[in-house]
């Protein structure tokens, strides 16, 4: 027996019902649905544990697809660069000119053409790229600059010694790279997602939190823990009073997908609209202020918890960021809209949950990965300096980061799950991974696309 309410899918208040009641104009992409169509096929566990499959992914995914390397505001000055490592590959992304145009940013393979030293091991700012081994040096534009004892290299033609380039394009403030010089343009690859994001001004948002952590599971196990709300009921019970978990909406677009999770409504597991409205607000406040908050909440006469949360959150965001959000829809203030861009990038669209995630293999280790979490914020006036990137080792909980606050508790619940999944999968007792047809449809679709890349048919 469960302490939760039993319900059928048809009993629930859906995202579309909430959007229909929105007091303001809802951005058009949120009104369009693209329901999943794939059947209930199981997945192979090998995808998560096999070094051979990882090696194939390096060739067919990581060397072939557009990937988020950094935000443009992380490299504001000429010479500023970041190092983007992916599996055993590495890229330098560098600003070579002022301005926000695509010509201002270049990306190169991060390898010295003398004897193969990794040119840069960390982010920074330099006037030229000088190899620390023998001093071969390149200009920021990739052309060769200095060859010590040139007389000793009769075989070398300096004009042919430019650093090999990696494709780079800008989108909504994100710097995206692709090893494949023949890859289709980013905008074409993003397809529907690019159309939708015309409505979401992420290029005007600033980085307010940036944390990277080694997670104790394969990159796909970890990423998939963030692609469904199905796990909320037992993994994150403290957010259940104000989270539409079972009534989240899932949409599928070519290679990509989306999840819309309403907040300030009670989970269908707790009775949905029948749940105590004051308890919805209490749980929201307790989460924001810390787990043991006993602070009383007030529900203005006649307002639902969602109405009241909207008033509170809208004014809270406006005050914190000194921006006018009075014309933004209820859903842009309250709900979570998470897009997934194949293979590993998740930009979220709303003011209320302005997250960005990225999941990458940790070198060639199939049992751990790097998870990047960024929080963006709107701003007025001058762009605030980007929050510094902080790093958490595998043994450090998310709560170790001073910026995570109660959010860290939730991510530690997820981290604990994925560690157990990885161990369980490696025991190879479970023959397959079984997925829900609707709530886990994005995971199934992701693997469908992944398999096509691995097979070379996409
Ligand atoms: S390996 Fe880079 S200069 Fe020798
Ligand atoms: Fe979770």
């Amino acid at each position: 027996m469960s302490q939760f309410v039993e319900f059928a899918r048809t009993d629930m208040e859906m995202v579309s019902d909430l959007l229909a009641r929105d007091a303001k104009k809802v951005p058009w992409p949120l009104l369009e649905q693209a329901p999943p169509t794939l059947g209930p096929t199981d997945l192979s566990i090998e995808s998560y544990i096999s070094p051979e499959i990882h090696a194939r992914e390096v060739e067919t995914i990581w060397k072939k697809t557009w990937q988020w390397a950094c935000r443009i505001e992380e490299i504001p000055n000429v010479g500023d660069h970041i190092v983007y490592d992916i599996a055993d590959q590495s890229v330098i992304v560098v600003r070579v000119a002022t301005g926000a145009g695509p010509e201002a940013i270049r990306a190169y393979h991060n390898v010295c053409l003398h004897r193969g030293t990794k040119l840069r091991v960390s982010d920074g700012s330099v006037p030229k790229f000088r190899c620390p081994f023998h001093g071969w040096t390149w200009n920021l534009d990739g052309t060769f600059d200095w060859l010590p004892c040139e007389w000793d290299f009769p075989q070398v033609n300096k004009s042919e010694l430019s650093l090999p380039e990696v494709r780079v394009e800008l989108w909504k403030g994100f710097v995206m790279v692709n090893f494949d010089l023949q890859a289709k343009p980013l905008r074409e690859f993003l397809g529907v997602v690019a159309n939708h994001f015309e409505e979401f001004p992420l290029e005007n948002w600033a980085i307010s939190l940036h944390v990277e952590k080694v997670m104790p599971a394969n990159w796909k196990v970890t990423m998939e823990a963030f692609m469904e709300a199905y796990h909320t009921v037992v993994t994150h019970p403290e957010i259940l009073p104000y989270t539409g978990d079972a009534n989240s909406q899932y949409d599928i677009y070519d290679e990509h997908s989306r999840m819309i999770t309403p907040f300030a409504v009670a989970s269908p597991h707790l009775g949905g609209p029948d749940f105590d409205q004051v308890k919805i607000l209490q749980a929201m406040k307790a989460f924001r202020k810390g787990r043991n908050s006993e602070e009383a909440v007030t529900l203005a006469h006649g307002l639902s918890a969602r109405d009241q949360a909207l008033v509170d959150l809208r004014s809270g965001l406006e005050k914190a960021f000194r921006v006018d959000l009075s014309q933004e829809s209820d859903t842009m203030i309250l709900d979570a809209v998470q897009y997934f861009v194949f293979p590993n990038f998740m930009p979220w669209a709303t003011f209320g949950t302005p997250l960005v995630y990225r999941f990458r293999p940790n070198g060639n280790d199939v049992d751990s990965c790097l998870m990047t979490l960024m929080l963006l914020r709107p701003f007025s006036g001058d762009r605030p300096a980007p929050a510094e990137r902080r790093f958490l080792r595998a043994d450090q909980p998310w709560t170790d980061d001073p910026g995570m606050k109660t959010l860290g508790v939730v991510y530690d619940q997820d981290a604990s799950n994925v560690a157990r999944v990885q161990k369980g999968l490696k025991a190879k007792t479970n023959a397959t991974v079984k997925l829900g047809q609707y709530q886990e449809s994005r995971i199934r679709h992701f693997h469908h696309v992944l398999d096509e890349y691995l097979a070379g048919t996409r």
Side-chain angles (χ1 to χ4, degrees), residues 374-448:
M374 202 177 254
L375 258 178
L376 301 175
R377 49 164 283 192
F379 61 92
S380 63
D382 292 339
R383 176 177 283 278
E388 61 160 346
R389 183 175 58 170
R390 291 188 292 260
F391 188 78
L392 296 169
R393 298 182 310 268
D395 60 329
Q396 288 180 287
W398 284 96
T399 44
D400 264 14
D401 186 88
M404 291 294 290
K405 305 196 176 82
T406 39
L407 210 51
V409 175
V410 174
Y411 289 94
D412 284 330
Q413 292 164 339
D414 293 313
S416 154
N417 279 349
V418 299
R420 291 166 73 146
V421 170
Q422 194 68 21
K423 286 198 175 78
L425 288 172
K426 289 204 102 172
K428 292 198 170 189
T429 310
N430 201 28
T432 58
V433 169
K434 293 159 207 57
L435 297 173
Q437 188 156 350
Y438 184 67
Q439 294 179 85
E440 293 172 310
S441 57
R442 299 170 81 207
I443 300 172
R444 177 177 290 106
H445 172 255
F446 162 66
H447 279 267
H448 180 76

Side-chain angles (χ1 to χ4, degrees), residues 225-226 231 235-236 410 414:
F226 296 90
H231 69 284
T235 297
H236 310 300
V410 174
D414 293 313

Side-chain angles (χ1 to χ4, degrees), residues 166-186:
V166 170
R167 288 270 297 280
V168 57
E169 288 198 37
L170 301 177
W171 178 67
K172 308 301 288 185
F174 297 103
V175 180
M176 308 289 291
V177 296
N178 193 328
F179 288 89
D180 182 3
L181 300 179
Q182 312 305 324
K184 57 180 149 183
L186 175 64

